[in-house]
Amino acid sequence: MKPDFFLKTHNLLASIALLFSVGTATAEPQHAIAMYGEPELPPDFVSLPYANPDAPKGGKIVFAQPGNFDSLNPHILKGRAPWAVRAHVFETLMGRSFDEPFTLYGLLAESIDTGPNREWVEFTLRPEAKFSDGSPVTIEDVMWSYETLGTQGHPRYNGSWTQVEKMEQTGPRSVKFTFNSDNKELALLMGMRPILKKAQWDGREFQESGFDVVPIGSSPYMIDSFEPGRYISLKRNPDYWGKDLPFMRGQGNFDEIRYDFYGDGDVVFEAFKAGNANAYRENNAAKWDSQYNFPRVKSGEVVKSIIPHKRPSGIIGFVMNTRRDAFKDWRVRDAMIHAFNFEYINETITGGEQPRVKSYFSNSVLGMDSGPATGQVRAFLEPFSDQLLPGALEGYELPVSNGSERNRANIAKALDLMEQAGWTVQDGVMKNDQGQPFTFEILLNQAATETQTIIDLFSSGLERIGITPKITVVDGAQYNERTNVYNFDMAYYLRGLSLSPGSEQRLYWGADGIENPGTRNWMGMNNPAAEAMIDKMLNSADQDEFRSAVKALDRVLTTGRYVIPIWFADYSRQAHDKHLHFPDRLPMYGDWIGFQPDVWWWED
């Protein structure tokens, strides 16, 4: 199938401007809530615009992915649970539309109400909401879930919970959260926590990882069978309570969603070629062009689809841990960025077809502009001028090589930066004044074979400046354990970012992540300017102020030289069985959360 992309044209600038132009308070309970302005869909909407309400039910989708799992609890720090459990077993009070920057519609909740300044939010449960075992979803389940996740769950839940002054039941099916901070996003975040069945955890330790508890959720899917580290199969619940909800029409179409796990990334692709999986997301442009000529493609059994998007690039590359002595000095980090011969590595790995990640919010209207900071962006940053690194105010661009393997100019710059930081090449080895060699460890997941190839090329470049890093390859469980507690010098790093950045940015870049385990602040950054820009984002008066705050944050992050960025694509490459289909109308966020398998279907 060849989709007619974006039948309804989105003008992102106009969309965001509209979101900010309308007041935020609600006069009475509503069916939906937008971060700014009004939801696009009316109360009587039929389905999400990128879902097919007439999609047939049946068939199955099978994914092959690298790694393994040792737990079925995705809500705690301990253990490694399959993404499928977190994504497809549990529901939230509100569901997100990925055709708008940040808008939620009623799911388990039939309505939402907020104070005039969003100083509180109240949800009312649908009376028909049920868990997959047929028991009702109650306010007791909701309140227990929020408190348990906020106090015992993964750190991603804690930040919002600490801003809740009071949680109270206000009716047979209603719960109200009153906040202790001025953060308009909290009203939405409270609608996005998974609701667990309280009775299932009676007498059990929530923070223990393992397979003793097979989670019961309220979504269209239940865990049917699994083999630790090998596969997990989810089956569609024929008695799913919400199948007629407007938000769910056209979603949850497959009878089975199955994830098979393999120890090696190359084996994953071979499994797809052999027909053991029927959907595969290809991230390598050169491979997409050269290796998709196997028999199932030639026969038409496998279809190649391109799916564009309008979301930021996010940050993808190799993060440097500033908690470690090796990378405390920004000049050393800058030297690593210069020594990384992007143009040569990109040509070798992808055929040079994919653009580089230029900043954390590049590829969007929220990304930093080239050249010196001006206007509001400059005004926001100038109070921190003595703490900002070179380029934040003056302008910053990533180094560019001539594409040759030798990378002479950037290697010379790297040597100069290392010398400024107190390191010189002595007898062919980079050393300090005490004669100690400069080295560091690069931690890699054994399933990420392409990443290992990139690092091999990078290591060859480092040899030109007398540096020989230690490369440690571990299995998925070890990788997860070590990165959770920041036990690495350098590691592969990917953080997707949305068109509506908010409170989660503190979890990504905030000072709390320097010591607290499980945050996304792998670089260990502690930057007051970044935290100030996040505060401005959360309390922006209008569109211009919000966008300026994000652009300013982007400058702080990018010029911090925390990550050696690699490439991204403003579209996704999906190879899939010809019987797997997706709607012609694509969401603004493209092939992201909420798209596959959520709105896909099987049709003979």
Side-chain angles (χ1 to χ4, degrees), residues 26-44:
T26 58
E28 59 184 19
Q30 302 290 319
H31 73 294
I33 184 172
M35 180 60 195
Y36 296 99
E38 298 295 333
E40 288 188 3
L41 303 179
D44 60 349

Side-chain angles (χ1 to χ4, degrees), residues 246-263:
F247 184 83
M248 292 305 299
R249 287 190 190 120
Q251 298 201 62
N253 301 314
F254 295 107
D255 284 343
E256 180 182 6
I257 302 173
R258 179 183 171 107
Y259 290 78
D260 289 321
F261 293 81
Y262 298 85

